[in-house]
Amino acid sequence: MMLNWTRRKILASAAAMTLALGVPAIAQDNQEIVIGGSIPLTGVFGFAGVGIEAGMQDYIKILNEEGGIDGRKVRLSYEDTGYKVDTSVAVFNKLTSQDEIHLYYGDSTGFAKTINPELDRRGTMIMAGASFASELNDPAKFPAQFLAGPDYTEMVSILLEFIAKEKPGATIMLVNSDTEFGRDPIAKTKERASALGLEVVGEIITPPTAVDVSTEVLKLRRARPDYAIFHGYILAPLPEFMNQAKQLGLETKFMGTFWSMDSSIWADVGEAANGFMGVMPYRYYYDTEAAPMLDKIREMRPQYQSTAYTQGFLTAMLLTEAAKRTLAAGQELNAKNLKASLNTIKDFDTGGLIGVPISIPGNSIPVGRIYQYDAAAKQMKPASDWISVQE
């Protein structure tokens, strides 16, 4: 017992001496690099959070097996938030008090906006997350944040580029959930559609999980648009819209954005889902085109992995790539240096997770591809080349 007490006293004295001399008690090269995470493993967004966490852990495993970053291992430190902003903030405060964290994953737009002043105040980390909110795609207002894909306005712009090429002069109905998420791209969609010679013939706003959409479908019937673009939903009420529209003989093509595009959520919808199209920033787990990183994922996880998994995987890749470039330049890991390093990413190969080399000139990756659901195969099939809307 006395020996243990004496040893602890010596270690404490040594630590105090190193701090007094300005020398870290642990060599920098031996420290872990910790990614913090406010991740929704339960609640309404739990289905996505489980995939996100798995994707992040798998990329970190691959990275650590290759030696980590500058000889330092990477670790994900996270807790469940239930997709609640106050819980997300509490998790952030807890995790950052336990570890030195320079990289962070947030669970929502609400959390990203709430925590932004604290990120600016600290100046120690960069953050990405589950949100693709257009508001976050502003380096002046959100200098320490980025999106691992196009923002919601850019997603709809990719859809509009596809429509303009497939059917010049097409008419479009916008269908959006009555949420901040749902209303996000409406104004800029109208501007972009007009610039491309497309006509927005109306808007339909519904609760995010509306059940009875018969009145809204009648609006579609009167307008008979060539395309209807849904945004702000995951699944409901899209199948009901599509079922009723087809029963009425409408030939409208239905389209969606990222969170409506995982093929597994359409598997039980049946024939009504056939032909549904939307924008996806990443390749699907089952894509057959050459993608070395997808091959690694399929070796690690032989069962289908969701698009949320891929989003988490790629986000971990980009966060750690920023850290890798910062340390390679001999710079301190802080928000300013990490974000500057992130913005040096140009023509970067994601191992085929995105089908073209990517660049991050600001806060987003403004590229995506149109996929179309094949009900018989229960898969999303490519319907376009990769489309960039980078200005």
Side-chain angles (χ1 to χ4, degrees), residues 15-311:
M17 180 65 75
T18 56
L19 288 173
L21 294 173
V23 180
I26 302 174
Q28 180 82 352
D29 285 350
N30 294 327
Q31 288 181 347
E32 292 179 313
I33 292 176
V34 180
I35 303 176
S38 291
I39 301 178
L41 302 175
T42 58
V44 297
F45 210 55
F47 75 95
V50 170
I52 288 164
E53 185 266 340
M56 295 185 76
Q57 294 283 29
D58 281 1
Y59 182 74
I60 290 168
K61 183 175 187 292
I62 291 170
L63 183 64
N64 284 336
E65 287 175 351
E66 294 175 348
I69 299 174
D70 197 27
R72 299 163 64 178
K73 295 298 184 181
V74 179
R75 174 169 60 89
L76 178 64
S77 175
Y78 67 97
E79 288 193 9
D80 177 30
T81 66
Y83 199 58
K84 298 175 181 177
V85 172
D86 56 347
T87 306
S88 300
V89 172
V91 167
F92 176 91
N93 290 331
K94 179 181 177 180
L95 296 180
T96 54
S97 70
Q98 294 174 342
D99 287 298
E100 184 179 355
I101 293 177
H102 300 291
L103 311 169
Y104 205 87
Y105 188 99
D107 63 357
S108 66
T109 303
F111 172 68
K113 292 166 65 174
T114 300
I115 208 68
N116 192 62
E118 180 65 9
L119 294 178
D120 290 347
R121 185 190 70 79
R122 290 173 180 245
T124 56
M125 72 185 79
I126 58 171
M127 188 177 94
S131 175
F132 295 100
S134 304
E135 185 177 354
L136 301 181
N137 193 9
D138 185 337
K141 292 182 179 178
F142 298 90
Q145 299 198 47
F146 73 97
L147 315 174
D151 69 36
Y152 293 130
T153 297
E154 290 170 336
M155 288 184 194
V156 179
S157 291
I158 291 166
L159 292 174
L160 295 177
E161 294 279 348
F162 173 80
I163 292 170
K165 185 175 180 180
E166 184 179 67
K167 190 177 179 66
T171 55
I172 300 167
M173 178 72 78
L174 303 181
V175 186
N176 299 76
S177 67
D178 192 14
T179 61
E180 182 181 15
F181 165 37
R183 291 186 296 269
D184 181 322
I186 292 176
K188 290 187 178 179
T189 293
K190 292 178 179 179
E191 293 176 11
R192 185 60 185 153
S194 177
L196 290 170
L198 305 172
E199 183 184 0
V200 175
V201 294
E203 298 172 45
I204 295 173
I205 306 291
T206 80
T209 54
V211 177
D212 181 7
V213 295
S214 54
T215 301
E216 287 75 15
V217 173
L218 289 176
K219 292 180 183 177
L220 273 182
R221 184 184 185 184
R222 286 194 294 270
R224 295 190 175 273
D226 298 309
Y227 297 85
I229 298 177
F230 291 90
H231 177 72
Y233 308 97
I234 296 171
L235 182 61
L238 277 66
E240 190 61 26
F241 261 101
M242 294 161 67
N243 266 315
Q244 291 192 31
K246 289 185 178 182
Q247 288 170 7
L248 292 171
L250 297 182
E251 296 182 359
T252 302
K253 294 183 179 180
F254 296 94
M255 310 180 92
T257 51
F258 180 81
W259 291 113
S260 293
M261 285 299 291
D262 187 75
S263 52
S264 64
I265 67 175
W266 291 97
D268 295 328
V269 174
E271 182 59 28
N274 195 53
F276 176 77
M277 291 189 290
V279 59
M280 175 52 58
Y282 322 123
R283 283 204 172 109
Y284 284 85
Y285 174 88
Y286 43 70
D287 273 11
T288 57
E289 296 163 284
M293 196 60 80
L294 267 182
D295 291 339
K296 285 188 179 182
I297 290 170
R298 289 186 285 244
E299 287 174 10
M300 297 173 75
R301 296 186 181 265
Q303 300 300 317
Y304 171 79
Q305 297 301 307
S306 69
T307 52
Y309 170 97
T310 310
Q311 202 265 1

